[in-house]
Amino acid sequence: MKKFDKDRLVLSLAGPVLALAVAFALTSLVLFASGKDIIEPYQLMFDSAAYADVQVLIINQAGTYYLAALAVAVGFRMNLFNIGVDGQYRLAAMAAALVGASVDLPGPLHLALIVIVAMLVGAFWSGIAGFLKTTRGVSEVVSTIMLNSIATALIAWLILPKNFGVQPAGSNNLTTGDIPESGWFPGLSLGDGAGEIYGFTFVAAALGVAYWFVLNRTRFGFDLRATGESESAAQASGVDAKKMVLTSMLISGAVAGLAGMPTLLGDTHTYSLDFPTGIGFTGITIALLGRNNPLGIAFSALLIAFLDKTSASLDQFGYEKEIATIMQGLIVISVVVSYELVRRYGTRRQQQKVGEELAAGHALKTEKEAAL
């Protein structure tokens, strides 16, 4: 039976706990410097979270964030920085909405078509970056940043009424048209006034389980982690590193394509100019805070969703709702710093334990020799 490693557990928790503590302290300092009460905003946010409708909003938002963070985490595991998740997510959502609105199929087939289109478009868009990296050595950071901008321009062109867009009467908004009800994903209703949890939120949870299983219980997951740790070492053991890089980018993009499905299939049923943006960048924060662990990502997604949804009413009490945005930004900075501090402490602790074990072994050997 594998021995429980208490030090490893403590170190794995120390990073995110320290990051949150520092972010909380710095946010309080900002409030104090601006002459605001440093306790009341947090109390108001917790009070807001006591309402059932706000809780549903938090869960639904967390589902979207969870999918975006999983997409980022797949890249991180390969030591790839896919910061193009936002472009992949938005382009995939629009393409899926266009296809979903233009066909009329039985429910399961309609849903399957929309989801498959979203995954294929997301995978294709991230695959461009993967192809450039494996064939031309182009950094995925540079290519995915550029592809985000290209995706934004492409969406703006596609949604024009002269192309594929629809402009509702009396509105300045542009949409892809409404998806028929056969293409909606049923949700879980929590009663009057509370709303319903998007059905795709449960799919997101299932994908988290699949992510853990593939990563930790399959040969592909082992190859992916090994390549992320050392590409040259993995290649020496027979792993095709370039193939793994391309495959990881394709999977990352496919998951990113699913990030828009909770909102598209459970709420808006169309893609429009006011479709949520910035999801991919929030996913980076969540993946970092959750240390690429599916359970850690889940808690992080709920935390960021809590900050988003409960801060919406702060301005009614004289506090800027951007407090939550400040805290999220501070979390990113704190995560980077705290994880490095924890890593250095862990390295020193490991060296100390090795030294203690060597000293104990030497002492035991000396005792045996003296006994003889």
Side-chain angles (χ1 to χ4, degrees):
M1 186 176 179
K2 189 176 180 180
K3 186 179 179 181
F4 178 72
D5 191 343
K6 183 176 68 174
D7 286 347
R8 184 177 179 182
L9 176 63
V10 171
L11 289 174
S12 65
L13 294 176
V17 170
L18 180 60
L20 291 176
V22 171
F24 176 83
L26 291 177
T27 303
S28 299
L29 185 62
V30 171
L31 288 169
F32 178 77
S34 60
K36 303 285 187 178
D37 190 300
I38 63 173
I39 300 298
E40 188 180 24
Y42 304 117
Q43 183 180 350
L44 292 171
M45 292 168 73
F46 279 106
D47 289 344
S48 177
Y51 293 97
D53 57 335
V54 177
Q55 293 170 5
V56 169
L57 290 174
I58 291 171
I59 293 173
N60 286 336
Q61 188 67 68
T64 297
Y65 284 163
Y66 190 68
L67 288 168
L70 282 182
V72 175
V74 171
F76 278 164
R77 283 291 190 171
M78 268 290 296
N79 205 22
L80 297 171
F81 200 7
N82 179 14
I83 56 176
V85 168
D86 199 65
Q88 296 152 21
Y89 138 82
R90 289 185 290 113
L91 190 60
M94 183 186 184
L98 279 173
V99 173
S102 62
V103 300
D104 189 7
L105 296 170
L109 290 178
H110 203 165
L111 271 174
L113 177 63
I114 293 172
V115 172
I116 290 171
V117 168
M119 293 179 68
L120 289 176
V121 172
F124 169 75
W125 207 245
S126 65
I128 296 174
F131 176 78
L132 291 174
K133 184 174 181 65
T134 54
T135 59
R136 293 291 182 267
V138 178
S139 168
E140 74 280 0
V141 175
V142 175
S143 59
T144 50
I145 287 176
M146 300 301 291
L147 285 167
N148 274 342
S149 299
I150 295 171
T152 300
L154 184 58
I155 291 170
W157 180 79
L158 288 172
I159 207 170
L160 290 175
K162 65 178 182 179
N163 295 320
F164 299 100
V166 175
Q167 184 170 5
S171 172
N172 291 325
N173 200 2
L174 298 176
T175 78
T176 55
D178 293 329
I179 298 174
E181 194 168 347
S182 58
W184 298 4
F185 201 111
L188 176 64
S189 178
L190 296 184
D192 294 338
E196 67 175 31
I197 298 175
Y198 300 152
F200 216 86
T201 299
F202 300 101
V203 176
L207 283 174
V209 175
Y211 166 83
W212 174 86
F213 179 82
V214 170
L215 205 64
N216 297 283
R217 293 293 185 268
T218 67
R219 174 58 189 269
F220 172 78
F222 173 80
D223 289 346
L224 187 147
R225 288 183 287 114
T227 308
E229 290 291 334
S230 174
E231 189 172 316
S232 58
Q235 200 155 4
S237 64
V239 178
D240 188 338
K242 289 187 176 181
K243 181 180 178 181
M244 289 302 300
V245 168
L246 181 58
T247 302
S248 298
M249 287 299 291
L250 289 172
I251 294 174
S252 179
V255 177
L258 294 176
M261 295 302 99
T263 302
L264 180 66
L265 301 179
D267 182 20
T268 63
H269 309 301
T270 187
Y271 185 95
S272 62
L273 294 178
D274 53 8
F275 203 79
T277 60
I279 301 297
F281 299 106
T282 304
I284 295 173
T285 301
I286 294 169
L288 285 171
L289 184 60
R291 303 200 69 173
N292 302 320
N293 179 283
L295 189 59
I297 291 173
F299 284 117
S300 301
L302 284 169
L303 171 65
I304 300 301
F306 166 83
L307 293 175
D308 279 352
K309 298 305 179 183
T310 59
S311 63
S313 60
L314 286 179
D315 54 357
Q316 300 176 14
F317 300 93
Y319 295 94
E320 292 75 11
K321 59 183 179 181
E322 284 74 19
I323 290 172
T325 306
I326 293 172
M327 179 171 280
Q328 290 179 26
L330 291 172
I331 286 174
V332 176
I333 299 172
S334 303
V335 160
V336 176
V337 176
S338 64
Y339 282 5
E340 178 60 20
L341 292 175
V342 170
R343 185 193 67 80
R344 292 183 181 183
Y345 172 79
T347 301
R348 289 197 300 270
R349 176 61 180 159
Q350 189 175 22
Q351 291 171 344
Q352 182 183 358
K353 287 177 67 177
V354 170
E356 291 172 354
E357 290 173 2
L358 289 174
H362 179 71
L364 182 61
K365 182 180 178 181
T366 303
E367 289 177 5
K368 288 182 178 179
E369 290 175 351
L372 296 174

